[in-house]
């Protein structure tokens, strides 16, 4: 088995110590000799294939050796110290880093997923090779995913599309990214995948004939102009085609550019020469030309892209790049090891390498400031998935930003002080509002003032990038600490009074320690400041503390729990008229004492779970309720299966929040929608912010989740409404 690996190392790698690779292979084979994969193969097949993927990427000795050893620390008795002594600390550290990521599994619990992603970012920051090994490991696991149960297939596939494929993209490793996406697509949307494969295969001969004619035509024109080149027709990947069909709501017949023509040349000068020739043969489509050579993507990708109209009116894409650019496009960050024997000095190489990882350092910087798991995961996915735009400073420096970015994002990208002192912005010489969405090619100038009072709180909703938001929050933390503490104290005291509890009664013991850890609170000043700044919602933390404290008080033995359930079932024999019928059955029994958790207000149609509370029956939560997840983590034995029954006529309280432009008549429009829907309004609370935004909290009585969704849809259609969402803990 090792011969294939050694051949790939010889073909793709530079200065790899073969003796260390053989030693790692022998060690791994011996360590895994008693183990087999789910396919029935000897386990060593997996590390060998991972090492082969790393060899194809042109990685160094330590990385390939760590690929062979990557499961040894996790699955065998071998220790970190032993591996360090047998090999070296560098290899052992890489294996240890991958081992810590090995337990990273996709979960619906946002908080647990966020913790795993934070660990991954930290491991990447210490040594980027850790994630490259993990990507190789994931790729081979997906190649052999057919041997695992269906449920696990879907979990692995979803995790790959959510986390690993976007990471491969950010690292510029398109060869890995495309295969990960297509394999994950196959298992996550099996029917759509095979339908697409069949439909594309049906017209393959016709399409290949069409593209072949175009390639011959372009090649002849380039040869006549004396330009050496390689041209091929690269079929678009299945997941890319599927995503285009879904996002643009098109059928396969409406998508003509199923194949991209790639032209590789020797120099940048030839790239632009080829572009000119191509545009004389075919008509370019306006707005579909992109110059990633002059303005490379953050993941190092460089190429010219143009979409043109050919014979029969069919459109197709042409990509033009140099051979070196193509290597970088395929291997991304791995090209640092594969092609580092070039002419640049060691110092220049390291400087270039560090520049390529600026996005990772930025991500680490803002994640330290983000205690809320949901916000962290949302920001992480935005950073991974968002498209880029390219704008210019007045001096012509290119700045890349996420699509949808505003002058505030631009200002903070230039420098923190520029952002803090920003009072206005010009785009192409004209004054624009700070919430203006920038577009590629625009020249942006930030107007600053030394007498500026600093950023406004509503900038947090205007800024797109997590880096800008983090810097704005830091300014408020430092500049308005006392004010935030006072405001936070006032909000917390108001909420405690509203919920009829004292802080001393709910903030004690292990319950309080868990909440402190969850919100990164070290003392009361931290708590007040976070509430005052808006990082923590006062009602959420009081509700969380109450639930945690109750859970701690109610820690009882399984025997006592069973007795309690039996007592409740016995009580179920009493007259149904004495019980408020919410249509809930617990473990198949009706007429049990149940209550709906106020933190998430479940309604018929929601997925629900029950949790045993001492003296108050079964508390019913939505399954996505963060309070419930904390209770389950604390004591999973108290979870019960509950279901919606067939009761009719019961009403339920649901809370929604509306964000809207603070215009005249917005409140009356919303109440009119509620009235027209024949719904009973339970409570209504509205506030306006400095940014001319109204925040409206509404509680209504409804019969089902469908009724709530219909109401939200109607409110969303109102003029000036920017967002409508259901409140949760």
């Amino acid at each position: 088995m090792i011969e294939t690996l050694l051949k790939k190392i010889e073909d793709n790698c530079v200065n790899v110590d073969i003796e260390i690779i053989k030693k790692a292979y022998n060690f791994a084979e011996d360590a895994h000799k008693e183990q087999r994969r789910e396919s029935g193969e000897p386990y060593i097949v997996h590390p060998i294939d991972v090492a082969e993927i790393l060899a194809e990427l042109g990685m160094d000795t330590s990385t390939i050796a760590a690929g062979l050893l990557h499961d040894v620390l996790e699955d065998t008795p071998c220790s970190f110290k032993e591996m360090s002594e047998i090999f070296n600390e560098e290899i052992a550290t890489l294996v240890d880093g991958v081992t810590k990521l090995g337990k990273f599994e996709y979960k619906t619990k946002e908080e647990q997923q966020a913790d795993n992603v934070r660990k991954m970012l930290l491991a990447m920051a210490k040594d980027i090779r850790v994630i490259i090994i993990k990507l190789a490991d994931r790729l081979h696991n997906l190649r052999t995913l057919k041997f695992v149960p269906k449920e696990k297939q879907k979990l692995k596939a979803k995790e790959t599309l959510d986390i690993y494929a976007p990471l491969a993209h950010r690292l510029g490793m398109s060869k890995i990214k495309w295969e990960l996406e297509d394999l994950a697509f196959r298992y996550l949307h099996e029917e759509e995948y095979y339908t697409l494969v069949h439909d594309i295969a049906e017209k393959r001969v016709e399409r290949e004939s069409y593209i072949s004619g175009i390639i011959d035509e372009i090649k002849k024109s380039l040869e006549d102009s004396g330009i050496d080149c390689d041209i091929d027709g690269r079929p678009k990947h299945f997941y890319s085609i599927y995503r285009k069909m879904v996002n643009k709501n098109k059928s396969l017949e409406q998508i003509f550019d199923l194949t991209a023509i790639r032209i590789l040349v020797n120099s940048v000068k030839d790239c632009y020469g080829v572009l000119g020739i191509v545009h004389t043969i075919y008509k370019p489509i306006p707005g579909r030309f992109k110059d990633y050579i002059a303005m490379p993507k953050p993941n190092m990708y460089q190429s010219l892209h143009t979409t043109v109209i050919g014979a029969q009116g069919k459109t197709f894409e042409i990509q033009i790049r140099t051979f070196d650019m193509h290597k970088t496009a395929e291997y991304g960050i791995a090209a640092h090891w594969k092609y580092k024997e070039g002419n640049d000095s060691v110092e220049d190489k390291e400087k270039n390498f560090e520049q390529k990882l600026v996005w990772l350092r930025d991500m680490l910087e803002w994640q330290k400031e983000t205690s809320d798991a949901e916000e962290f995961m949302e920001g992480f996915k935005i950073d991974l998935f968002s498209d880029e735009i390219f704008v210019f400073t007045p001096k012509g420096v290119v700045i890349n930003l996420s699509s949808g970015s505003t002058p505030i994002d631009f200002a903070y990208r230039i420098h923190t002080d520029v952002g803090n002192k920003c009072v206005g912005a010009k785009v192409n010489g004209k004054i624009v509002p700070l919430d203006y969405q920038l577009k590629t090619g625009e020249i942006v100038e930030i107007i600053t003032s030394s007498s500026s009072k600093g950023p406004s709180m509503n900038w947090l909703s205007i800024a797109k990038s997590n880096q800008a938001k983090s810097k704005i929050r830091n300014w408020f933390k430092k500049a308005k600490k006392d004010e935030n503490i006072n405001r936070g104290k006032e909000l917390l005291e108001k909420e405690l009074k509203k919920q009829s509890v004292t802080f001393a009664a709910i903030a004690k013991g292990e319950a309080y320690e868990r909440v402190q850890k969850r919100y990164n609170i070290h003392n009361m000043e931290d708590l007040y400041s976070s509430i005052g700044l808006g990082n923590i919602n006062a009602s959420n933390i009081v509700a969380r503390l109450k639930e945690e404290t109750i859970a701690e008080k109610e820690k009882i033995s399984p025997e006592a729990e069973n007795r309690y359930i039996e007592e409740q079932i016995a009580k179920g024999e009493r007259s149904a008229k004495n019980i408020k019928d919410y249509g809930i059955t617990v473990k198949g029994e009706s007429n049990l004492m149940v209550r709906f958790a106020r933190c998430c207000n479940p309604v018929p149609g929601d997925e629900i779970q029950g949790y045993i509370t001492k003296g108050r029956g079964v508390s019913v939560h939505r399954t996505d309720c963060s309070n419930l997840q904390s209770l389950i983590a604390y004591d999973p034995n108290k979870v019960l299966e509950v279901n919606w029954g067939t009761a009719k006529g019961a009403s339920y309280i649901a809370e929604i929040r509306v964000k809207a432009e603070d215009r005249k008549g917005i409140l009356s429009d919303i109440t009119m929608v509620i009235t027209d829907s024949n719904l009973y309004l339970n409570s209504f609370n509205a506030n306006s912010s400095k940014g001319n935004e109204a925040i409206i909290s509404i509680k209504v009585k409804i019969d089902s989740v469908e009724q709530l969704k219909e109401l939200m849809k109607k409110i969303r259609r109102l003029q000036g409404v920017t967002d409508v969402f259901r409140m949760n803990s």
Side-chain angles (χ1 to χ4, degrees):
M1 284 185 288
I2 195 175
E3 292 305 320
T4 307
L5 172 61
L6 296 179
K7 181 70 170 66
K8 288 189 176 178
I9 291 173
E10 183 185 342
D11 292 343
N12 296 286
C13 304
V14 179
N15 299 327
V16 170
D17 189 329
I18 298 300
E19 292 308 311
I20 291 180
I21 301 301
K22 289 179 178 178
K23 185 179 177 182
Y25 167 75
N26 291 329
F27 189 86
E29 185 181 39
D30 184 60
H32 293 299
K33 63 185 175 185
E34 303 297 329
Q35 296 174 306
R36 290 195 170 270
R37 300 202 83 209
E38 290 181 327
S39 62
E41 296 174 309
Y43 195 87
I44 189 63
V45 169
H46 173 61
I48 278 278
D49 283 334
V50 169
E52 285 183 12
I53 293 168
L54 294 168
E56 288 169 5
L57 292 171
M59 298 306 295
D60 60 333
T61 304
S62 295
T63 310
I64 297 172
L68 285 165
L69 301 165
H70 78 273
D71 278 330
V72 169
L73 292 183
E74 185 172 356
D75 296 339
T76 76
C78 178
S79 67
F80 177 86
K81 184 180 179 184
E82 186 182 349
M83 188 174 285
S84 298
E85 290 169 353
I86 294 171
F87 295 95
N88 57 49
E89 193 168 330
E90 181 185 10
I91 291 174
T93 301
L94 285 172
V95 175
D96 187 50
V98 178
T99 301
K100 286 174 182 173
L101 297 185
K103 295 175 183 177
F104 176 74
E105 295 178 1
Y106 184 86
K107 296 180 178 66
T108 54
K109 300 171 188 175
E110 208 82 350
E111 194 173 326
Q112 289 173 296
Q113 192 185 21
D115 284 343
N116 285 322
V117 173
R118 287 181 203 270
K119 289 175 189 171
M120 184 164 62
L121 289 175
L122 289 168
M124 288 166 64
K126 288 177 184 174
D127 196 324
I128 198 69
R129 291 175 294 177
V130 169
I131 195 61
I132 294 175
I133 298 168
K134 187 61 189 172
L135 287 171
D137 172 45
R138 175 49 56 107
L139 179 56
H140 184 252
N141 280 334
L142 255 67
R143 286 174 178 175
T144 56
L145 202 58
K146 64 182 178 182
F147 298 108
V148 305
K150 284 272 186 189
E151 187 179 340
K152 195 173 179 182
Q153 286 177 356
K154 288 191 178 296
L155 284 172
K156 289 286 183 188
K158 180 159 178 56
E159 177 188 56
T160 299
L161 286 180
D162 279 357
I163 305 294
Y164 288 107
L167 272 173
H169 171 67
R170 286 307 298 258
L171 295 171
M173 301 166 70
S174 63
K175 199 169 185 181
I176 299 284
K177 177 212 172 191
W178 290 122
E179 190 175 353
L180 285 174
E181 286 186 337
D182 281 354
L183 287 168
F185 173 38
R186 174 184 165 189
Y187 289 102
L188 199 60
H189 304 288
E190 191 173 350
E191 187 179 335
E192 292 90 336
Y193 174 83
Y194 284 108
T195 301
L196 190 59
V197 170
H198 174 267
D199 291 347
I200 289 175
E202 274 193 335
K203 297 187 177 181
R204 186 173 58 117
V205 175
E206 177 190 333
R207 189 172 63 254
E208 285 180 354
S209 172
Y210 179 75
I211 291 297
S212 178
I214 291 169
I215 289 174
D216 291 341
E217 191 174 8
I218 294 174
K219 188 171 281 188
K220 185 177 184 307
S221 296
L222 296 182
E223 284 174 357
D224 292 344
S225 301
I227 297 176
D228 292 328
C229 65
D230 276 358
I231 308 179
D232 64 8
R234 179 185 64 83
K236 291 241 175 158
H237 298 272
F238 294 123
Y239 184 65
S240 173
I241 295 168
Y242 171 74
R243 201 164 52 187
K244 185 175 283 190
M245 288 168 66
V246 171
N247 292 345
K248 297 188 177 180
N249 196 24
K250 288 186 176 182
S251 66
L252 188 63
E253 290 72 27
Q254 293 173 300
I255 299 175
F256 295 109
D257 55 338
L258 296 178
T259 304
I261 293 174
R262 181 186 290 143
I263 304 173
L264 305 181
V265 294
N266 292 312
S267 67
V268 173
K269 179 184 174 183
D270 285 347
C271 288
Y272 290 100
V274 169
L275 179 69
I277 291 167
V278 164
H279 282 182
T280 60
I281 303 172
Y282 308 106
K283 289 183 179 179
I285 296 177
R288 294 295 302 272
F289 167 66
K290 293 173 182 174
D291 187 343
Y292 295 119
I293 294 178
M295 295 178 287
K297 289 187 176 184
N299 65 1
M300 303 160 286
Y301 180 85
Q302 286 185 287
S303 187
L304 298 177
H305 288 195
T306 184
T307 303
V308 298
I309 302 173
Q312 303 165 37
K314 291 184 178 180
T315 63
F316 58 93
E317 184 183 62
I318 297 178
Q319 300 172 357
I320 308 163
R321 64 184 77 141
T322 66
F323 289 98
D324 286 341
M325 289 173 190
H326 182 58
K327 290 171 186 174
T328 302
E330 292 279 292
Y331 298 102
I333 206 77
H336 173 75
W337 288 273
K338 188 175 176 72
Y339 303 105
K340 64 180 180 182
E341 78 282 8
N343 298 324
D344 293 344
S345 68
V346 174
E347 189 178 329
D348 287 340
K349 285 192 184 77
E350 291 307 317
K351 189 177 179 181
N352 288 334
F353 183 66
E354 286 300 313
Q355 287 174 346
K356 291 167 186 174
L357 294 177
V358 167
W359 66 271
L360 177 59
R361 288 201 302 275
D362 286 344
M363 200 180 283
L364 278 168
E365 183 184 328
W366 70 258
Q367 70 91 16
K368 290 175 187 174
E369 305 295 327
T370 310
S371 59
D372 184 78
E374 192 171 336
E375 182 187 337
F376 170 77
M377 283 310 299
E378 184 184 344
F380 176 73
K381 289 174 182 176
I382 286 171
D383 271 2
L384 284 184
F385 284 105
S386 60
D387 293 328
E388 294 92 24
I389 59 167
F390 301 90
V391 294
F392 298 92
T393 69
K395 292 183 179 179
V397 177
V398 179
I399 303 292
N400 66 284
L401 298 165
S402 297
S403 178
S405 289
T406 65
I408 291 172
D409 297 291
F410 178 88
Y412 280 104
R413 176 61 64 85
I414 299 298
H415 196 278
T416 303
D417 286 343
V418 173
N420 289 340
K421 294 177 180 178
C422 170
V423 292
K426 288 182 180 179
V427 171
N428 297 335
K430 294 180 180 179
I431 296 283
V432 295
L434 290 178
D435 61 357
Y436 173 83
Q437 289 197 359
L438 300 173
K439 301 176 188 67
T440 291
E442 292 179 328
I443 300 169
V444 187
E445 180 183 352
I446 299 299
I447 304 167
T448 60
S449 170
S450 56
S451 60
S452 167
K453 293 181 181 179
S456 168
M457 186 65 82
N458 72 310
W459 285 13
L460 288 169
S461 60
I462 294 173
K464 170 79 174 177
S465 69
N466 293 301
Q467 291 77 19
K469 290 179 181 179
S470 176
K471 289 173 180 178
I472 294 166
R473 287 195 188 99
N474 281 339
W475 186 89
F476 277 107
K477 279 182 184 176
K478 291 173 185 175
K480 297 194 173 185
K481 187 176 180 181
D482 290 341
E483 187 180 325
N484 288 330
I485 289 172
N486 291 333
R487 186 191 298 118
K489 187 176 181 181
E490 185 181 320
L491 288 169
L492 182 62
E493 287 174 352
K494 186 178 179 181
E495 189 59 36
L496 289 165
K497 191 175 180 181
K498 183 179 175 183
Q499 297 199 31
S500 303
V501 291
T502 63
F503 193 73
I506 58 174
K508 56 187 178 183
E510 291 181 13
Y512 184 49
E513 287 173 13
R514 284 193 297 276
V515 173
Q516 278 186 308
K517 189 176 179 182
R518 161 73 176 82
Y519 289 104
N520 197 24
I521 297 166
H522 301 102
N523 50 50
M524 288 306 294
E525 277 197 356
D526 283 350
L527 177 60
Y528 292 146
S529 181
S530 294
I531 293 173
L533 190 59
N535 287 346
I536 299 175
N537 185 290
S539 61
N540 284 356
I541 197 162
V542 172
R544 173 66 65 93
L545 280 167
K546 282 172 70 177
E547 291 283 357
E548 292 277 3
T549 305
I550 290 165
E552 193 165 281
K553 286 178 180 177
E554 294 170 358
K555 195 174 182 182
I556 55 176
S557 67
E559 294 79 12
E561 285 176 15
N562 290 333
R563 283 198 304 272
Y564 177 70
I565 293 170
E566 287 168 9
E567 287 170 11
Q568 289 299 306
I569 291 172
K571 287 178 184 178
E573 295 173 2
R574 65 190 174 181
S575 173
K577 66 183 179 183
N578 294 327
I579 298 175
K580 190 171 184 179
D581 186 1
Y582 288 111
I584 296 289
T585 59
V586 182
K587 284 191 171 182
E589 296 288 339
S590 58
N591 292 340
L592 291 185
M593 184 178 173
V594 297
R595 69 183 183 90
F596 290 112
R598 290 184 181 179
C599 50
C600 57
N601 290 319
V603 299
D606 288 332
E607 290 185 16
I608 52 175
Q609 280 183 296
Y611 193 84
I612 299 169
T613 61
K614 193 171 180 181
R616 295 182 298 159
V618 177
S619 178
V620 179
H621 294 256
R622 280 162 44 194
T623 54
D624 62 354
C625 173
S626 58
N627 281 349
L628 175 66
Q629 302 309 324
S630 298
L631 292 170
I632 292 172
Y634 181 78
D635 193 347
N637 295 320
K638 299 176 81 172
V639 179
L640 287 175
E641 180 188 335
V642 296
N643 296 290
W644 295 105
T646 57
K648 294 180 180 178
S651 60
Y652 307 82
I653 300 294
E655 183 177 1
I656 60 175
R657 183 159 291 176
V658 180
K659 289 186 177 180
E661 180 186 319
D662 192 5
R663 64 172 176 82
K664 187 177 180 181
I666 185 67
L667 298 182
S668 61
D669 286 351
I670 292 172
T671 52
M672 185 64 72
V673 168
I674 295 169
T675 303
D676 289 346
S677 301
N678 292 319
L679 295 177
Y680 179 74
L681 184 63
N682 184 268
S683 72
F684 196 93
N685 185 38
N687 292 295
S688 62
S689 66
K690 292 180 182 177
N692 199 35
E693 183 182 53
I695 309 293
I696 304 148
S697 296
I698 304 165
K699 285 186 180 180
V700 288
K701 281 189 178 180
I702 58 167
D703 299 330
S704 67
V705 73
E706 287 74 22
Q707 199 175 38
L708 181 63
K709 286 178 181 176
E710 186 61 31
L711 173 65
M712 291 168 70
K713 192 188 295 183
K714 289 177 181 177
I715 294 174
R716 200 173 277 117
R717 290 179 189 144
L718 294 175
Q719 181 190 343
V721 172
T722 56
D723 197 9
V724 183
F725 53 93
R726 190 170 171 191
M727 293 300 291
N728 192 4
S729 57

